[in-house]
Structures are given as C-alpha cells and as structure tokens.
Amino acid sequence: MLNQMEEQNNLLALMKLQNSYIHQFKKLIFSAAADVTLANNQDFCEFIAHFLEFTHYHYNSEGYSQAAQLVQAYHYILMEKLLDSHVLAAAEQMELAIGHLEMAVLDKQVRLNPQIIMLNQCILLMEEIQLKIIESLEAILANSRPAPQLQN
C-alpha cells in the first residue's frame, strides 16, 4: 500500500510540474499570437486550439489525482478511466498541437520567429512530462489490478 501511495504522489508531482510548464507555455503562446505573421498562420492557430484542448484534459485529470490523494486511496476502475478518458486524450491533443506547430514552421517567416523556437523547445519538455505521467499511471494500474474472482 505504501508503494502505491508513493507512485500516486509521484504522479501528482508530475502533473503539478506539467501545470507549471503549461502556465509558462501559455504566456509564450499569447506573446507569439500578438505577432501578425503567426496569428495569420492557419497551422499556428490549429496548434493553439489543440494545445488549449490538451490543457483542458490535463486539468481534468489532475483534479482526479488530487481527489485520489486526499482520500489516500484510489479505485482501479477510476484510475483506468482517468488514463483512458483524460490523460490519453490530453496526450492525443498535444500530439495534434505538435503536428500543427511542425507544419507552421514550414513557413520560413514562422520558422525564424524566436517565439516559435521557444514554443517548440517548451512543448517538447511538456511532451516528455506527459509521457512520464502516462507511464506512472500505467504502473499504478499494473500494481493495483483487482484480484480475480474465484468461481465455485
């Protein structure tokens, strides 16, 4: 039980770190969006839309983790649902956002923009944290599989 609580605390720490990155990244996005060249680039706008969707899923999944920590127990089904419905959905939106950012940098004016360079580096860090969140949640699920019911 102690090991499971440690894993859960590690997961929450990763999600809080991701929150910090998201907060800083949003500042970069709003600053970059003020640049007319970027604001008029369709792929950059799609990148922003998917990134905001990613943050929505991330914030919902963090709420589940905090609730689980407060009661110091979690249920396998809830954690599995969390992984399926929020964490993986957030990762999917992040991947879509990254794809659009990659398309946006095909435009030479966008690629040379220093804000885009910073956004690219920051989102790669967040992608790494998201992967660690998924791995941590999968480890928790693997260690908390419900015992099989014996049939008479």
Side-chain angles (χ1 to χ4, degrees), residues 1-150:
M1 183 69 169
L2 185 58
N3 191 27
Q4 290 175 345
M5 288 174 50
E6 287 176 14
E7 288 175 340
Q8 194 171 356
N9 287 338
N10 289 341
L11 175 63
L12 186 58
L14 285 170
M15 292 181 127
K16 286 181 178 181
L17 178 61
Q18 189 78 310
N19 266 359
S20 177
Y21 285 160
I22 288 169
H23 182 69
Q24 295 302 318
F25 196 73
K26 280 185 175 180
K27 289 179 184 179
L28 291 171
I29 286 176
F30 292 132
S31 175
D35 185 320
V36 176
T37 304
L38 297 177
N40 290 331
N41 183 286
Q42 180 64 32
D43 285 307
F44 184 74
C45 292
E46 286 291 323
F47 156 72
I48 291 173
H50 288 291
F51 181 79
L52 293 176
E53 194 70 17
F54 153 73
T55 62
H56 167 77
Y57 286 114
H58 173 75
Y59 291 142
N60 284 338
S61 62
E62 184 191 18
Y64 277 112
S65 295
Q66 287 176 345
Q69 184 188 36
L70 290 175
V71 296
Q72 295 184 1
Y74 57 89
H75 300 285
Y76 177 79
I77 294 171
L78 177 63
M79 296 303 266
E80 188 173 50
K81 182 177 179 182
L82 168 64
L83 178 64
D84 290 344
S85 66
H86 293 291
V87 174
L88 293 179
E92 181 180 318
Q93 289 301 316
M94 179 182 281
E95 285 301 316
L96 290 169
I98 289 170
H100 284 287
L101 185 59
E102 289 171 348
M103 293 300 293
V105 299
L106 294 176
D107 179 339
K108 193 174 189 176
Q109 288 181 319
V110 172
R111 178 180 39 238
L112 299 177
N113 187 304
Q115 293 170 321
I116 289 294
I117 294 168
M118 184 71 94
L119 286 172
N120 193 42
Q121 290 176 344
C122 290
I123 201 158
L124 292 176
L125 273 175
M126 289 192 309
E127 183 181 33
E128 191 175 312
I129 295 297
Q130 190 69 22
L131 179 61
K132 288 180 182 180
I133 289 169
I134 291 169
E135 289 171 349
S136 295
L137 195 49
E138 287 174 341
I140 290 170
L141 286 169
N143 291 332
S144 66
R145 294 225 184 266
Q149 299 294 322
L150 298 175

